[in-house]
Amino acid sequence: MPPAPTTFTVSEATRKKWSEAVNEQANAAPVLDLTVDNITENVIAVNSNVTDNPRLQYLITKFIRASHDFIRDVGLNFEEWEQVWKFLTSVGQISTDVRHEMVLLSDILGISALVDSISHPAVPGATEYSLLGPFHDDRAHFVELGESITSEGTPGEATLVRGTIKDINGNPVNKALIDVWETDGNGTYDVEYIDKDGPDFRGKLYSDKNGAFYFSCVRPVPYPIANDGPVGALLRKLNRHFFRPAHMHFIILHPSYDKLITALYTRDSKYIHSDTVFGVKSSLMVDYVWTEDLKLAEQYGVKPFKRVLDGVEKEGFWLLEHDFVLVGKRDPVSLKTRD
Ligand code: BEZ
Ligand code: FE
């Protein structure tokens, strides 16, 4: 049997309001003989009946004006528009619950980074925000302070990360939840391995009463974003690469502070100045320092590895030290409803 059609319950009052609006519009603005020069005002007039949502009214009006101006400005023709809507259709068609091609398109056009910066204006002295990306996984395991967030045998170079969570006045933040995720040393997230069971190269931990946190992991490396779909095809057409510089993602949560979504970018990483999704900020660039302090390794449970430096084999690990500064709860940025 075919599924029963979805039914919507609409009250008599709403029905009446709609039909009055439709009748009013049927005899309203002269939507006739439209030209390149007068169509915009007419389309705006027809879309000016939102009475209960000033933000929506503002957005639709501005969008119509900006998109029409763009089309007139560049002289967009029929064939080009056909290419655009076919491209957007293919972006939608490849998208699934786990493959967000539309978000990826917004990422490579700098839209995600721009929206992020508007939503989280920088506060002097506080850690800046950076893109969340598609690989956060709330199922990450909790680890104790000092534990590794990577399983035994994970490809990559051993690294100790340590730092403090502070407020804007330098006070330590006790029991901040640090949710961290990264790729392994091959530049692959756990969820990208089809045969991998459960979360890896990610973990959640709490800062101690001094605001301190520390965990071991592998040093992140640059990696390509998904490029086997329409967004990858677009990047190739634009002669752009599809790599992100090496980075480690963090979400830091505490009930008294704004949620911080950020990432630390490796200063000497390839692509640091050409991140394909525009997430890098100079305040988020960090240095991994090579250390041969094996006592420190023992103290923090890091497994050192061997590396040839100037022709000599050395044993050590990478140390990343970074403090995060949280901002007290802020009111959300107010939404404009007029110019
Ligand atoms: C990421 O860093 O995980 C990411 C961000 C945007 C697009 C793809 C990946
Ligand atoms: Fe990432």
Side-chain angles (χ1 to χ4, degrees):
M1 261 213 337
T6 314
T7 53
F8 298 98
T9 321
V10 177
S11 75
E12 237 354 273
T14 307
R15 230 179 256 287
K16 193 155 170 271
K17 205 172 116 194
W18 282 352
S19 102
E20 277 167 12
V22 168
N23 285 336
E24 215 173 280
Q25 283 164 40
N27 302 312
V31 185
L32 199 62
D33 297 331
L34 297 177
T35 65
V36 167
D37 297 321
N38 73 11
I39 187 166
T40 305
E41 294 316 319
N42 274 277
V43 176
I44 288 175
V46 167
N47 286 284
S48 293
N49 301 309
V50 188
T51 50
D52 51 355
N53 188 338
R55 177 66 174 170
L56 173 62
Q57 183 64 78
Y58 180 64
L59 291 177
I60 189 72
T61 304
K62 295 290 281 191
F63 179 73
I64 293 165
R65 196 176 294 289
S67 57
H68 283 213
D69 282 349
F70 164 75
I71 291 164
R72 267 187 293 266
D73 187 19
V74 302
L76 197 75
N77 71 19
F78 187 83
E79 287 73 26
E80 287 169 327
W81 178 237
E82 190 176 31
Q83 276 187 40
V84 173
W85 67 252
K86 283 189 173 161
F87 172 75
L88 291 176
T89 303
S90 66
V91 169
Q93 281 167 338
I94 201 176
S95 297
T96 66
D97 280 354
V98 289
R99 171 140 193 180
H100 301 285
E101 194 79 0
M102 194 69 207
V103 181
L104 204 59
L105 179 59
S106 116
D107 294 340
I108 65 122
L109 294 177
I111 293 172
S112 305
L114 178 59
V115 171
D116 211 39
S117 298
I118 290 170
S119 306
H120 307 111
V123 173
T127 303
E128 287 193 271
Y129 281 67
S130 189
L131 295 177
L132 173 67
F135 295 113
H136 177 250
D137 186 346
D138 211 32
R139 295 168 304 169
H141 300 305
F142 276 90
V143 295
E144 294 297 326
L145 273 181
E147 262 188 278
S148 178
I149 60 161
T150 53
S151 61
E152 190 81 31
T154 295
E157 298 181 341
T159 298
L160 169 65
V161 180
R162 68 176 178 184
T164 306
I165 313 290
K166 298 177 184 169
D167 69 13
I168 203 90
N169 300 314
N171 302 310
V173 178
N174 184 19
K175 283 216 172 109
L177 174 65
I178 298 142
D179 186 346
V180 52
W181 68 104
E182 61 163 353
T183 65
D184 64 8
N186 294 329
T188 309
Y189 283 99
D190 54 357
V191 289
E192 296 179 286
Y193 284 104
I194 29 179
D195 52 351
K196 197 155 184 56
D197 226 5
D200 204 350
F201 340 136
R202 62 178 78 235
K204 293 177 180 175
L205 61 155
Y206 284 102
S207 59
D208 69 14
K209 63 178 191 313
N210 300 315
F213 69 90
Y214 37 98
F215 61 88
S216 55
C217 59
V218 293
R219 185 176 165 157
V221 297
Y223 66 84
I225 61 167
N227 58 82
D228 56 345
V231 170
L234 177 62
L235 286 171
R236 285 183 185 87
K237 263 205 171 119
L238 299 174
N239 282 325
R240 283 179 54 184
H241 71 70
F242 24 72
F243 284 87
R244 297 216 70 200
H247 60 274
M248 200 178 284
H249 295 270
F250 291 85
I251 292 179
I252 302 183
L253 282 173
H254 187 286
S256 306
Y257 299 91
D258 260 9
K259 175 180 185 174
L260 174 65
I261 302 173
T262 193
L264 298 179
Y265 295 90
T266 310
R267 196 183 311 277
D268 60 3
S269 171
K270 199 169 175 187
Y271 312 111
I272 192 74
H273 296 300
S274 65
D275 181 8
T276 194
V277 296
F278 307 100
V280 180
K281 291 174 175 158
S282 55
S283 70
L284 300 175
M285 287 187 194
V286 291
D287 300 293
Y288 288 76
V289 177
W290 174 251
T291 169
E292 287 156 20
D293 186 341
L294 300 185
K295 270 211 180 101
L296 190 69
E298 206 178 311
Q299 186 187 339
Y300 284 99
V302 183
K303 290 208 177 80
F305 65 98
K306 294 200 169 86
R307 181 170 174 243
V308 178
L309 278 175
D310 300 327
V312 185
E313 193 177 72
K314 303 279 188 179
E315 190 172 23
F317 59 98
W318 295 106
L319 176 62
L320 169 61
E321 295 186 286
H322 191 79
D323 296 342
F324 293 91
V325 180
L326 305 183
V327 183
K329 284 251 183 258
R330 284 180 283 186
D331 290 333
V333 177
S334 61
L335 298 173
K336 270 172 85 175
T337 55
R338 57 178 59 217
D339 286 334

